[in-house]
């Protein structure tokens, strides 16, 4: 498998986003199926695994920690804090953004315990808590580095300006944001900021939450807990328009000699060598398919036809709801 660098780490060019195994897209798979996916990834040469305190309200970290513990020394383990489950007075666990140093410390200790490790290789601020100066949150993460509890600092869903503020406090090793053919926001400023500062860009949802796999079922059939139900691009009216992009996209994949999912991932790998995509899946066969993207070679001519076909101008609907857009700090295109 191709290799790329994140700070001082050398990792597989395609990592595994573990969220799907416990969270987000309806009823998650069984623990046994999650274990099969994780172990197959290890066997296939994946060395970058990405989880978070939020995913399954700790359940994903528990799964990842248990399954990957025997392989820990050969992997780069990444998690996130600052966005986690909090139990209310009514006993219900709800997501909460909290970037205060004391909250981050609590998140980290919980993550270390669930992951069954003494140190997390890359620890992200999952969301910038806009009530707390980012310098204060990153200062806490810097303390964790000095204490030997994390090895590197990451940021998630932030703007170029916030990256620069954080980097001035402590070097940022990675920035993680949604990036795919149909979500180009990082191209506004974040990719350039990362290149300037020597920060690796980690692309989540690189296959557009299933759309670029050509595998999204009828949106009306989404499970009640599927987070895509609240995403404007999957609104029935917008989605009907977005489906019109798929025939041409399928043809480009056929021309490239790959599957639609592999085309999406290969596009990211061709963009720059400091981008690492982390597709997620609940299927061993889809995992193998995704990893095969590393062998796909795209001609300059095909790339010139692919990029205008699916981009922020041709896709209908914003990537997030109005509420979710208020929780992130990423730049937006005019008219978004």
């Amino acid at each position: 498998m191709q290799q790329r660098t994140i700070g001082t780490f050398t990792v597989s060019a395609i990592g595994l986003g573990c969220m799907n195994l416990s969270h987000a897209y309806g009823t998650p798979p069984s623990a046994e199926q999650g274990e099969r996916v994780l172990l197959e990834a290890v066997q296939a040469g994946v060395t970058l695994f990405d989880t978070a305190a939020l995913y399954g309200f700790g359940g994903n970290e528990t799964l990842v920690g248990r399954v990957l513990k025997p392989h820990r020394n050969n992997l780069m383990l990444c998690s996130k804090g600052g966005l986690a489950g909090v139990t209310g007075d009514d006993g219900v666990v709800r997501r909460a953004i909290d970037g205060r140093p004391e909250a981050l410390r609590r998140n980290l200790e919980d993550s270390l315990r669930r992951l069954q490790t003494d140190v997390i290789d890359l620890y992200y601020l999952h969301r910038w808590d806009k009530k707390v100066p980012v310098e204060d949150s990153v200062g806490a993460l810097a303390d964790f580095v000095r204490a030997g509890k994390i090895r590197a600092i990451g940021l998630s869903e932030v703007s170029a300006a916030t990256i620069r503020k954080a980097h001035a406090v402590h070097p940022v090793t990675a920035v993680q944001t949604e990036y795919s053919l149909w979500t180009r926001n990082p191209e506004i400023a974040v990719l350039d900021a990362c290149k300037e500062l020597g920060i690796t860009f980690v692309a989540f949802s690189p296959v557009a939450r299933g759309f670029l796999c050509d595998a999204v079922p009828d949106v009306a059939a989404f499970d009640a807990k599927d987070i895509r139900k609240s995403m404007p691009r999957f609104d029935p009216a917008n989605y009907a328009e977005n489906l019109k992009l798929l025939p041409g996209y399928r043809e480009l994949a056929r021309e490239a000699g790959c599957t639609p999912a592999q085309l999406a991932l290969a596009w990211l790998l061709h963009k720059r060598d400091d981008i690492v995509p982390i597709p997620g899946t609940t299927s061993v066969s889809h995992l193998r398919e995704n990893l095969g993207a590393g062998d796909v070679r795209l001609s300059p001519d095909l790339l010139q036809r692919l990029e205008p076909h699916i981009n922020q101008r041709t896709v209908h609907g914003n990537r997030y709801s109005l509420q979710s857009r208020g929780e992130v700090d990423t730049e937006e295109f005019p008219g978004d």
Side-chain angles (χ1 to χ4, degrees), residues 19 33 68 74 183 199 201 214 218 258 290-291 303 333:
M19 178 183 74
Q33 177 62 15
L68 298 186
N74 301 317
T183 296
I199 298 169
F201 185 89
D214 193 12
D218 179 3
C258 65
N290 289 342
L291 298 181
L303 287 169
F333 289 100

Side-chain angles (χ1 to χ4, degrees), residues 266-301:
W267 174 77
L268 280 167
L269 294 175
H270 279 70
K271 290 293 286 185
R272 286 179 14 182
D273 60 9
D274 60 351
I275 294 175
V276 179
I278 51 168
T281 184
T282 61
S283 161
V284 168
S285 62
H286 290 164
L287 170 70
R288 293 171 180 160
E289 176 187 351
N290 289 342
L291 298 181
D295 298 323
V296 175
R297 298 294 176 265
L298 303 179
S299 69
D301 174 69

Side-chain angles (χ1 to χ4, degrees), residues 152-197:
I153 291 173
L155 302 174
S156 177
E157 295 272 47
V158 291
S159 65
T162 301
I163 293 169
R164 295 181 194 283
K165 290 178 182 178
H167 196 73
V169 174
H170 187 281
V172 174
T173 295
V175 169
Q176 181 177 135
T177 293
E178 182 176 357
Y179 188 36
S180 70
L181 281 162
W182 87 341
T183 296
R184 303 292 193 90
N185 302 66
E187 296 176 0
I188 299 172
V190 165
L191 288 176
D192 287 343
C194 287
K195 184 174 184 179
E196 176 190 335
L197 299 172

